[in-house]
């Protein structure tokens, strides 16, 4: 796992190049840890759960859930983000067959696994994240979130976790921004900044009709 993360920092076109003894591509630290053949063998048969222990109707990400949840919990326990944080969608490129693969034309990858991530604005550090696998994802939200109508509001409250109420400032785009989410965050001593679509429900008519110029402020 450490090697896979390391490849994200030091990129090379092929896996074999990390184990090369050629002086142009040499990374001796990798070869000290394991051989190329052993890495390929582990990667080929990597498995995180006992299939016989899974229920008949298990969630779509059940086979990677233990390692995924473990890493996200580590992200949250090892670092406390600064005041300014952000939540947005992310798309991890995936070319294989997957029932919950998403298509987002505005993203660079376009096809892949969609996730929602809460990051520190200054560094991009991922503090919380979860994969979107369809309707089953929203069904797994806490029961007290049923009072919120929009999925975006539920996602924000879930992602904030124990950061909410600790004077953070959340930055979001127009898909999340609404009267409901702003009020929910402000009620818990959390600021919210985001772009706003003027067709959102519960917006005052004055805000819907106004044309704001650069430098103007509407309160």
């Amino acid at each position: 796992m450490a090697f896979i993360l390391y490849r994200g920092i030091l990129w090379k076109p092929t896996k074999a190049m990390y184990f090369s003894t050629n002086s142009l591509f040499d990374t001796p630290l990798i070869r000290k840890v394991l051989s190329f053949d052993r890495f390929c063998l582990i990667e080929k048969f990597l498995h995180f759960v006992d299939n016989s222990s899974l229920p008949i109707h298990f969630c779509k990400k059940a086979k990677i859930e233990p390692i995924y949840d473990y890493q996200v919990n580590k992200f949250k326990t090892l670092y406390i983000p600064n005041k300014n944080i952000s939540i947005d969608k992310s798309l991890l490129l995936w070319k294989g067959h997957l029932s919950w693969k998403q298509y987002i034309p505005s993203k660079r990858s376009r096809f892949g696994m969609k996730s929602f991530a809460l990051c520190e604005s200054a560094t991009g550090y991922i503090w919380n994240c979860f994969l979107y696998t369809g309707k089953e994802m929203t069904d797994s939200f806490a029961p007290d979130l049923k009072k919120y109508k929009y999925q975006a509001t539920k996602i924000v409250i879930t992602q904030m976790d124990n950061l909410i109420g600790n004077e953070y400032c959340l930055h979001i785009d127009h898909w999340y921004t609404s009267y409901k989410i702003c009020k929910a965050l402000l009620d818990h001593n959390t600021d919210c900044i985001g772009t706003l679509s003027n067709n959102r429900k519960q917006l005052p008519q004055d805000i819907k009709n106004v044309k704001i110029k650069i430098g103007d402020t509407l309160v």
Side-chain angles (χ1 to χ4, degrees):
M1 296 303 296
F3 173 54
I4 291 171
L5 292 172
Y6 182 67
R7 287 169 60 190
I9 299 171
L10 182 65
W11 184 84
K12 295 183 182 183
T14 65
K15 288 179 287 189
M17 290 180 68
Y18 290 92
F19 299 87
S20 173
T21 56
N22 188 316
S23 58
L24 288 173
F25 315 115
D26 192 18
T27 44
L29 178 64
I30 300 297
R31 295 200 310 276
K32 287 181 181 179
V33 177
L34 78 171
S35 68
F36 179 58
D37 289 342
R38 178 163 173 76
F39 172 75
C40 290
L41 195 65
I42 293 172
E43 187 182 45
K44 183 176 181 179
F45 295 104
L46 195 62
H47 206 68
F48 301 110
V49 297
D50 179 3
N51 286 349
S52 62
S53 67
L54 293 172
I56 297 175
H57 302 291
F58 55 85
C59 66
K60 294 177 181 178
K61 62 176 182 176
K63 292 191 176 184
I64 61 168
E65 200 164 30
I67 189 69
Y68 188 86
D69 290 346
Y70 174 81
Q71 289 190 110
V72 172
N73 287 332
K74 277 292 182 184
F75 295 160
K76 293 164 72 174
T77 56
L78 294 176
Y79 184 74
I80 300 174
N82 292 326
K83 179 180 178 180
N84 290 297
I85 54 177
S86 176
I87 292 179
D88 201 3
K89 297 186 289 291
S90 178
L91 195 70
L92 178 65
L93 177 64
W94 182 266
K95 295 182 179 180
H97 295 286
L98 198 63
S99 63
W100 37 282
K101 184 166 65 175
Q102 296 280 310
Y103 171 65
I104 306 178
S106 61
K107 299 293 184 183
R108 183 179 180 182
S109 301
R110 294 197 299 158
F111 291 94
M113 293 183 285
K114 184 169 75 172
S115 61
F116 294 90
L118 183 148
C119 306
E120 184 182 61
S121 299
T123 62
Y125 180 88
I126 297 176
W127 187 83
N128 197 5
C129 183
F130 66 84
L131 287 171
Y132 179 80
T133 58
K135 188 177 182 296
E136 68 172 24
M137 182 207 72
T138 55
D139 292 340
S140 65
F141 286 151
D144 60 328
L145 293 178
K146 289 183 178 180
K147 61 183 177 181
Y148 299 114
K149 179 180 178 182
Y150 297 112
Q151 185 189 71
T153 306
K154 297 177 184 178
I155 289 171
V156 169
I157 299 298
T158 303
Q159 288 292 84
M160 288 289 292
D161 198 9
N162 58 2
L163 294 185
I164 197 166
N166 287 301
E167 300 183 354
Y168 277 89
C169 182
L170 177 68
H171 298 253
I172 49 181
D173 67 18
H174 65 92
W175 190 76
Y176 303 90
T177 310
S178 66
Y179 170 81
K180 281 284 186 181
I181 189 58
C182 291
K183 187 176 188 309
L185 292 173
L186 288 171
D187 287 345
H188 290 86
N189 199 29
T190 302
D191 289 334
C192 179
I193 297 174
T195 51
L196 179 66
S197 297
N198 63 3
N199 61 352
R200 286 288 190 184
K201 293 181 179 180
Q202 296 183 303
L203 284 182
Q205 201 62 39
D206 291 345
I207 292 180
K208 289 184 178 182
N209 296 335
V210 74
K211 292 184 179 180
I212 301 177
K213 297 178 181 178
I214 295 175
D216 288 351
T217 301
L218 177 68
V219 179

